[in-house]
Amino acid sequence: MTIGISALSVYLPRSRISRSAIADAHRWAVPTLAARGKGTISAANWDEDSVTMAHEAARRVTLTHTPTALQFCSTSMPFADRSHAALLNEALQLDSHNRTQDLGACARAASSALYAELAQGQRGTLIMAAEKRLAKPASTQEISQGDAAAALITGSDDLLAEYVAGRTFATDFVDHYRRADSDFDYAFEDRWVRDEFYLADAPTLIRDLLADNAIAASEVSQLVINAPLRVRSKIAQLCGLTDADVGLTSDAEVGGTGCVAPLLGLAEALPRASAGSCIVCVTFGQGVDVLVLRATANASQCTAFGDALATGERDDNYLRYLSHRGLIAMDWGKRAERDVRTAQSAYYRQRDQISGLVGGKCTACGTAQFPRTKACVNPECREFAAQTPYAFADLTGTIKSFTEDWQAYSPAPPLIYGNIVFEGGANIMMQFSDTSEGSVSVGDSVGMHFRIKDIDRARGYQRYFWKAIPVRGG
């Protein structure tokens, strides 16, 4: 039975911080950063993390495919002891009997998960990868790495790419590391990593895998590697894959994306690969994973990367970028000194409404509402015990009224909230996100998006809920 990738989606945050803004801010101390100041990096909003970004990528895949297993991969998980995959399973409103698993601590987390599922012929596995990593200001990591998420599902029907072969090699080569009690990576010298790690074992591994599966160099059209462009070109030369495309648009506009890189690279490579040609995906991280996939006639229909890239907006506000990442302490005044303790019992009992934005619909009159209540909100009905679950997450609403509040606390002032009306009569008062002063109007269309609602810093906990975000560019 043929196994491969049935669907693939990418999510990139709206904000793209210009590298020149970062370099200019540090020119007084590290003038050499100016040489790296071309292009942008994708930067998550304050209310985004690896969970919310994974949800954005995964919800596009689950619109057309129903997974039976979920794997969440990240080296920047918000919780050290909580199942993020289980949270995502509920936020996506999937079957509670699905197998869920978190995988992290290595840049190969997603590639290893994909290799294992494909090699074992597992269909219906949703693999989500997301990263929001911190970097010290003025470091090369800050100016080179970006935030992103990607999700794919394995299957055997209508494939974008077929699995051909895979191989892995594990070694405790430490090119960078981060202790459990640290916020930042410590990276070693680039040239040493290049010569002793990137160029040492990978070329032999690739050549042997292609030879063992009788794949000629001419069959490989795309070479996806989570390494600098010069390294990718050198590996292609050493493997005799000089005709393979090693360029990635994400290098200049997104940045390095940690364990998301192999899935993001596949999303870039698929529409450029002709049907029948091979894509070699190489992922480094305390070893090497090599996957060979064969593009199908459907590969050209994978527009996930291009669509995500088109939603970005350049941002030169470096100070706001630091604030959103918690790298500077802003004085928000007494308005920020409120207790946001979570009532876990109430959350658990209403988790489908909170995590899944599932309201109710009256079986007597058809009125939709959020939240669900015992009585219908339609004054002409008021039927009791007639509510059936009704999901709002994938619906588009319209702004009926809104307020730009400069007095209430928000990490991205002003706090914008308003009344959203949905087809069927439902009205929900919601916070907005990815907005700015004067950016919304009554009558605008908005989509529902899973975001961080607030952060309880006293107890080290953060709550998630849904926010309204203006629909831009369809």
Side-chain angles (χ1 to χ4, degrees):
M1 178 186 68
T2 303
I3 190 79
I5 299 172
S6 292
L8 175 59
S9 178
V10 168
Y11 173 73
L12 299 176
R14 177 188 172 205
S15 176
R16 309 291 159 75
I17 299 296
S18 63
R19 287 187 170 108
S20 60
I22 299 174
D24 289 345
H26 301 304
R27 189 180 299 274
W28 65 276
V30 191
T32 55
L33 283 179
R36 299 173 179 257
K38 296 181 180 179
T40 61
I41 57 171
S42 57
N45 203 341
W46 77 266
D47 59 356
E48 293 185 287
D49 63 10
S50 56
V51 169
T52 65
M53 291 190 292
H55 181 273
E56 286 289 350
R59 69 188 301 193
R60 293 159 170 79
V61 173
T62 56
L63 285 174
T64 53
H65 296 78
T66 303
T68 56
L70 284 80
Q71 296 185 340
F72 174 65
C73 308
S74 178
T75 66
S76 53
M77 297 181 187
F79 291 91
D81 189 351
R82 185 184 184 185
S83 175
H84 304 83
L87 170 60
L88 286 162
N89 194 66
E90 290 204 338
L92 293 164
Q93 285 297 287
L94 300 174
D95 192 333
S96 59
H97 294 286
N98 282 345
R99 173 171 53 91
T100 59
Q101 186 178 18
D102 289 2
L103 301 168
C106 178
R108 289 192 295 128
S111 63
S112 295
L114 179 58
Y115 175 38
E117 296 301 294
L118 292 178
Q120 296 170 25
Q122 297 290 340
R123 295 174 294 171
T125 299
L126 173 61
I127 298 175
M128 301 166 286
E131 296 281 27
K132 182 184 178 180
R133 298 172 294 169
L134 293 179
K136 282 186 179 180
S139 66
T140 56
Q141 287 87 358
E142 180 189 44
I143 206 168
S144 62
Q145 65 188 28
D147 305 326
L152 61 79
I153 192 164
T154 61
S156 56
D157 299 321
D158 298 324
L159 299 177
L160 298 171
E162 301 173 353
Y163 171 67
V164 178
R167 194 158 293 176
T168 189
F169 172 78
T171 180
D172 189 31
F173 185 97
V174 183
D175 58 324
H176 72 278
Y177 68 90
R178 183 175 71 250
R179 282 177 51 90
D181 58 356
S182 176
D183 291 329
F184 308 112
D185 288 356
Y186 185 91
F188 291 96
E189 201 269 327
D190 290 345
R191 184 172 59 179
W192 180 68
V193 173
R194 180 193 65 205
D195 295 341
E196 296 296 328
F197 186 34
Y198 289 143
L199 301 180
D201 299 304
T204 301
L205 202 65
I206 297 168
R207 287 194 301 266
D208 290 349
L209 184 60
L210 295 178
D212 291 347
N213 289 273
I215 299 171
S218 59
E219 296 181 68
V220 179
S221 64
Q222 305 289 322
L223 187 58
V224 176
I225 307 178
N226 66 333
L229 178 60
R230 287 180 299 173
V231 173
R232 297 199 296 266
S233 299
K234 185 62 175 179
I235 290 177
Q237 179 184 350
L238 293 173
C239 294
L241 304 176
T242 52
D243 293 332
D245 182 6
V246 297
L248 293 173
T249 305
S250 57
D251 288 342
E253 300 199 43
V254 180
T257 55
C259 77
V260 185
L263 306 193
L264 193 67
L266 285 174
E268 251 198 275
L270 279 169
R272 302 193 304 215
S274 57
S277 67
C278 288
I279 302 170
V280 176
C281 182
V282 183
T283 309
F284 291 97
Q286 283 73 68
V288 188
D289 288 337
V290 180
L291 288 172
V292 180
L293 301 165
R294 193 178 299 278
T296 69
N298 297 325
S300 60
Q301 300 173 18
C302 182
T303 61
F305 176 75
D307 292 344
L309 198 64
T311 63
E313 294 185 5
R314 184 185 174 97
D315 187 355
D316 293 317
N317 195 324
Y318 177 63
L319 189 62
R320 178 169 56 205
Y321 167 77
L322 291 178
S323 177
H324 284 182
R325 303 183 90 77
L327 295 175
I328 57 171
M330 302 283 288
D331 184 359
W332 297 108
K334 290 182 174 57
R335 57 185 175 164
E337 297 175 3
R338 59 191 179 93
D339 193 358
V340 291
R341 183 172 186 172
T342 300
Q344 292 292 342
S345 57
Y347 162 72
Y348 181 74
R349 295 186 184 110
Q350 301 172 19
R351 63 190 184 280
D352 68 326
Q353 298 189 71
I354 297 171
S355 296
L357 201 64
V358 177
K361 191 169 188 178
C362 180
T363 56
C365 69
T367 298
Q369 65 182 73
F370 186 93
R372 288 194 305 274
T373 57
K374 291 184 178 180
C376 175
V377 295
N378 184 349
E380 299 178 0
C381 177
R382 302 299 291 173
E383 185 75 19
F384 271 79
Q387 298 285 307
T388 57
Y390 185 74
F392 287 87
D394 294 324
L395 301 182
T396 300
T398 303
I399 300 176
K400 188 176 182 180
S401 64
F402 72 95
T403 298
E404 290 185 359
D405 193 339
W406 285 93
Q407 298 301 315
Y409 165 68
S410 170
L415 176 64
I416 303 180
Y417 53 90
N419 193 12
I420 310 300
V421 61
F422 294 86
E423 185 178 348
N427 287 268
I428 307 179
M429 183 67 70
M430 304 188 72
Q431 290 184 15
F432 294 5
S433 189
D434 288 5
T435 54
S436 57
E437 181 183 6
S439 65
V440 299
S441 302
V442 170
D444 286 353
S445 295
V446 291
M448 303 296 103
H449 298 266
F450 192 61
R451 292 292 180 97
I452 297 171
K453 178 175 174 58
D454 46 41
I455 301 173
D456 181 356
R457 301 193 186 280
R459 301 166 190 88
Y461 190 80
Q462 61 193 37
R463 294 189 290 181
Y464 297 91
F465 190 55
W466 294 75
K467 295 182 181 179
I469 295 180
V471 176
R472 299 179 176 92

